Amino acid sequence: MDYAVARRRMVESQIVRRNITDKAVLDALLRTPRHLFVDEGFRPHAYSDASLPIGEKQTISQPFMVAAMTAALGLRGGERILEIGTGSGYQTAILSLLVSRVYTIERISSLASRARRVFDQLRLTNVNLKVGDGTVGWKDHAPFDGIIVTAGGPDVPTEFLDQLAVGAPLVVPVGPRDQQKLLRIVRTEDGTFSREELMDCRFVPLIGEKGWLNDNA
Ligand code: SAH
């Protein structure tokens, strides 16, 4: 299988066709080998229009969702971004090509170790990964120029809002376990927050102190 060809087709048919036009985002998708972020058995499906299992009841997000969330951050380069829910590390890798540093938190250590191995393989040197509960953010490195959450919680932890720089966006799925709304919340100059609904979505649960208590469906 020619992965580069499959990847070009993915970008054309799943991303560009759905009106994601940010050139830098499209370029990052073209440069990132999604097949390395899934188990060997799933590699033939790595460029399909779907989320895929990565073990531990978690999934690598659908390519379109990764593209849409990345575009929603409105990146220009040079940002410091916080990501909650490293999972496979695919979204992290895309971000690492677009910004100056990605801070990413994963609660399941086996997934974190696997993601770290792929980052090393791809020589991504601007990623700080830690294992822990991301629902409280990462205060030591705040404020961030953007926060992206790739698991769905019942509401928005105030820690995420507190850790946003002025003008910075938080892209986060919020709602019941089986269906969420993807929100973009921006901290404005006068200290208030603007809030916009981007689309319906369905993510694995955000589990932690400020999320769901457990992963019971
Ligand atoms: N962007 C990832 C999405 C993985 S699924 C990818 O495309 O591969 C979401 C991930 O969030 C899962 O790995 C899950 O373990 C993790 N997660 C859930 N709650 C979390 C929390 N409180 N802190 C950190 N990670 C969390």
Side-chain angles (χ1 to χ4, degrees), residues 17 21 59 65 72 75 102 132 136 139 144 168 170 183 193 216:
R17 200 168 290 171
T21 53
T59 55
M65 190 51 72
L75 301 169
V102 188
V136 294
K139 207 170 170 200
F144 297 98
L170 161 65
L183 306 181
F193 294 89
N216 294 334

Side-chain angles (χ1 to χ4, degrees), residues 44-142:
H45 309 287
Y47 297 98
S48 63
D49 188 11
S51 57
L52 296 169
I54 54 171
E56 309 283 352
K57 297 201 283 186
Q58 308 305 319
T59 55
I60 179 173
S61 302
Q62 180 196 22
F64 168 71
M65 190 51 72
V66 173
M69 291 177 81
T70 308
L73 288 171
L75 301 169
R76 292 193 215 141
E79 292 90 350
R80 296 166 61 258
I81 299 292
L82 173 65
E83 177 193 37
I84 313 300
T86 318
S88 67
Y90 178 63
Q91 171 78 74
T92 322
I94 300 277
L95 289 169
S96 81
L97 297 178
L98 295 167
V99 303
S100 73
R101 189 153 286 275
V102 188
Y103 298 88
T104 185
I105 310 177
E106 170 55 52
R107 64 180 279 273
I108 300 175
S109 62
S110 59
L111 296 180
S113 317
R114 209 161 59 189
R116 195 172 269 135
R117 276 203 298 278
V118 186
F119 300 154
D120 289 345
Q121 190 184 345
L122 296 177
R123 298 199 164 74
L124 306 181
T125 53
N126 59 343
V127 175
N128 291 35
L129 165 60
K130 82 165 174 182
V131 175
D133 177 8
T135 63
V136 294
W138 198 338
K139 207 170 170 200
D140 297 350
H141 297 289

